Amino acid sequence: MFLWVHYADMVIALAQLPVAMVAWRAAADRPSRTSVVAFAVMVGTAVLRLAAGLLLLRWGWEFAGPRLPWVVPALVAAATVYLVWVRPAVSRARVAAVAGAVGVVLVAAVAQLAGVGPAVVTGAAVLGATAVGRAYRMAWPGPASARRGRWQAAVRAAAGVALVAAVTVGLSTASALPARSSMSGGTVDTGGGAAAGHEHRGGISVTELTGADSTTDAAVRRFTLTAQESTVRLDSGAQVAAWTFNGVTPGPQLVVHQGDLVEVTLVNRLPGVGVTVHWHGVDVPNAMDGVAGVTQDAVAPGAGFVYRFRASQAGTYWYHSHEMSSVQVRRGLFGALVVLPRDAPAPQDALDETVLRHTWGDEDGVATLGLAAGVQRRSVPAGRPVRLRLVNTDGKPATFAVTGAPVRVVAIDGTDVHEPGVLSGARILVGGGARYDVEFTMPDAPVTLRADGPAIVYSPGGDAGPDRAATAPALLDPARYGTPAATPFAPGGRFDRRFVLRIDERLGFYDGRPAVRYTLNGASFPDVPMLMVADGDLVEVTYVNRSGQHHPMHLHGHHMLVLSRDGRAATGSPWWVDTLDVGPGETYRVAFRADNPGLWMDHCHDLEHAANGMILHLGYTGVTSPFLTGSGTPNHPE
Ligand code: C2O
Ligand code: CU
C-alpha cells in the first residue's frame, strides 16, 4: 500500500511537467479547448497529490509532511489559470501571471524529484528567467514577436537544448567526489543536530585500536585467505569468472569456538585491484574492521594483512571484501564465519550447514545457494538435529522458507533468540547481509528449504524432490517471536544521544554519473554528518524509510537492539541486529551502547545503494583515521 501511494505520487508529480507546459502555451491564447483541458488536468493532479499526501498521514507526519507543501504550487497555478480563463477579455498582466504560475509548478516538480540543493537553485533560475522573458513578450508584444519566423524558433530550440545540456553537465560536475576525503574531517551530528565540522586532532588513531586482549593465552586459530581470480562452475554448467578466496566461492568456511583468538592472514593475488576483509557482524576492535580508507589501506596486489580478533560471541557471521565491495562481493569475495559455543556438541551428532544465498551477475542474475541455482539433495538420517544457518549475501531481501518439519528460529544476526517457539514451518524475510539460524529434528519425510528460487531437500534417503504442495507458512515477525528477557539497558530509559536518519529517494547525479540516490537526511557520502558519540553513551537511532526500496542498514562494530517498528514496541525476544532491513514506509527505533571506540561505517548493505552514497559513519570523540578514500587513494570502500 505504501509503495502504491509513494510511486503514484511520483508519477503524478512527473505528469505535472507536460501538463504545465501545455497550460503555458495555452495561456497566451483566448479561452480554448486546450486551455480548458490543461486547466482541468492541472487541478486534477493537484487534488490527487493532495490525496496522496493525506493518505501518507497513515504512516505518520514524517511521510506526509514533506509531500504536502508540493501541492501548493500546483493549486496556485491552477487557480491563476482559472482566473484568466473565465474572463473573455484577457489582460496581458493576467497572461503574464499565468506564465509565472506555471513556471512555479515546473520548478516545484523538478525540485522535488531532484531533492533540494543546487538543482533547485539552477532550475529556478532558468525557469524564472524564461518565464519573465515570456511574460514580458506577451505583455508588450513588439514588432519582433509579430514577425517571428522559423529561424527564430530554431534558435530558441537550440538555446533550450544548450541550456539543458549546460545544466546537466554542471550538475554532473558538481556531484564529483573529492579525490581524497578523510573520515576524520567533515560535519558531525552530536545527537541533537548537525554541528560545525571539526577535525579530531591529537586523539587516538584507529590503528591503535587493536583490542587489549589480543596477546593473551587463548587458543589461536590461524587461517590464510588468498584473494585470486578463479573460474567457478554453477550447477547449470555455466562458468563464472569469479574473484575468490582460496579458489572457491563461497570462500572457505571458518569455524572457531567462542573465546578463540582468530588470526587470518589475507594475501592479495588479484590483478591490479586492492582488497580487504571485513568481519560482518563481529564486533571486532576497530583496527581489525577491514574497511578500506577508514581502518586500513586496501591491501595491494602482492601484499598482505593480518587480522586478529577474539571470537567473543557464538553465532553465524560472514566475511567479505570491503574494498569496492559492491563489485567484489558480487564477484565472489565472501564466505561464512561460524563461531560455535564453547561447549558445542561434536559435529557428527548433528547436521550444521551454512547456506549462503548469492546472486551472480547483476541484480537480476542467477540466484544460488552455494553454487547451485536448482534443487540440491541431502541425505540426513531421521532423528538427527539439523541447524541451517541462512545468510543473504545480496542487497535485496530474500524469502527463505522451510517446510516439512516443525522448526524453531534460534538465532538472528548471531544472537540467540530467547525461548523461540515451535513453528509448523518457517518463512523468513532475510534482509541483505542478515543471518537467521533455523533448527529442526529430521523427520521420516523430506524437509524443503527454498530461497526464492534455489532449494535444498533434506530426506533420510537423500533422493526426495521438493514438496510442491506445501502451503507457505506465515511470515516470521521477529518483533513478536520468542519471549522477553533482560537487556543490558532499559528500552524505555533515557538516551545520551538520539539520532534520526531519514531515507529519501532522489533522481540526480552521484560522482559525475546519473544515479538514483537514497539519501540520509538529504545527503550522500561524504556529506552525511558523522554520528558522534562518546565511549559509554547509550544511543538511540530512528530509521525512517520514505523511499520505495528496502534498505538493510548495517552498523559496524556494534549490535543494535530493536525497540519498535512503526511506533509499536517489539514484544518478543530481545531482537538484536547488526543489519536491519528497513522496508518501504517503515520506521524503526533501535538502541545500542557505544562500547567499542573507533570510526565505524554505518551503511546500506544493498551495496549498489552504498556505491551511490548511502553511507555514513559513527565516530567516537577523539578517534582519528590516517586513511583516506577517493580516486586519488587506493581506497574505495563502497
Ligand atoms: Cu557487510 Cu560495511 O559491510
Ligand atoms: Cu539502500
Side-chain angles (χ1 to χ4, degrees), residues 5 27 53 62 79 91 126 165 170 185 228 252 274 324 342 347 391 406 448 465 477 490 494 528 532 612:
V5 181
E62 285 280 3
S91 85
V126 169
Q228 60 193 75
M324 286 166 47
R342 268 174 239 280
V391 184
T448 305
D477 181 358
R494 54 167 290 283
V528 190
M532 287 305 297
N612 281 346

Side-chain angles (χ1 to χ4, degrees), residues 224-230 242-247 265-277 298-305 328 333:
T224 299
L225 293 176
T226 303
Q228 60 193 75
E229 271 186 314
S230 318
W243 287 351
T244 68
F245 287 116
N246 301 3
T265 304
L266 167 66
V267 178
N268 185 7
R269 302 232 181 285
L270 289 171
V273 283
V275 71
T276 67
V277 180
V299 175
F305 190 92
Q328 298 198 354
L333 284 170

Side-chain angles (χ1 to χ4, degrees), residues 278 280-281 291 318 320 322 325 433 554 556 579 601 603 605 607:
H278 166 61
H280 184 119
V291 181
W318 64 301
H320 61 80
H322 222 308
S325 54
H554 173 46
H556 288 207
T579 317
M601 242 197 186
H603 63 101
H605 220 279
L607 298 172

Side-chain angles (χ1 to χ4, degrees), residues 518 549-553 604-606 609-610 614:
Y518 297 99
Q549 295 284 318
H550 283 258
H551 301 290
M553 298 306 297
C604 180
H605 220 279
D606 185 322
H609 296 180
M614 203 169 173

Side-chain angles (χ1 to χ4, degrees), residues 95-106:
V95 172
V98 174
V102 170
V104 169
V105 177
L106 285 169

Side-chain angles (χ1 to χ4, degrees), residues 231-329:
T231 303
V232 297
R233 230 183 142 76
L234 305 186
D235 63 338
S236 62
Q239 311 261 16
V240 178
W243 287 351
T244 68
F245 287 116
N246 301 3
V248 290
T249 177
Q253 173 162 313
L254 311 184
V255 182
V256 301
H257 281 84
Q258 191 175 9
D260 287 352
L261 200 59
V262 184
E263 190 182 289
V264 180
T265 304
L266 167 66
V267 178
N268 185 7
R269 302 232 181 285
L270 289 171
V273 283
V275 71
T276 67
V277 180
H278 166 61
W279 310 96
H280 184 119
V282 185
D283 298 337
V284 298
N286 196 223
M288 300 295 140
D289 200 37
V291 181
V294 181
T295 63
Q296 67 175 97
D297 274 327
V299 175
F305 190 92
V306 179
Y307 296 94
R308 210 175 278 115
F309 58 89
R310 182 180 295 275
S312 41
Q313 197 182 349
T316 306
Y317 306 95
W318 64 301
Y319 60 87
H320 61 80
S321 175
H322 222 308
E323 162 65 9
M324 286 166 47
S325 54
S326 64
V327 175
Q328 298 198 354
V329 175

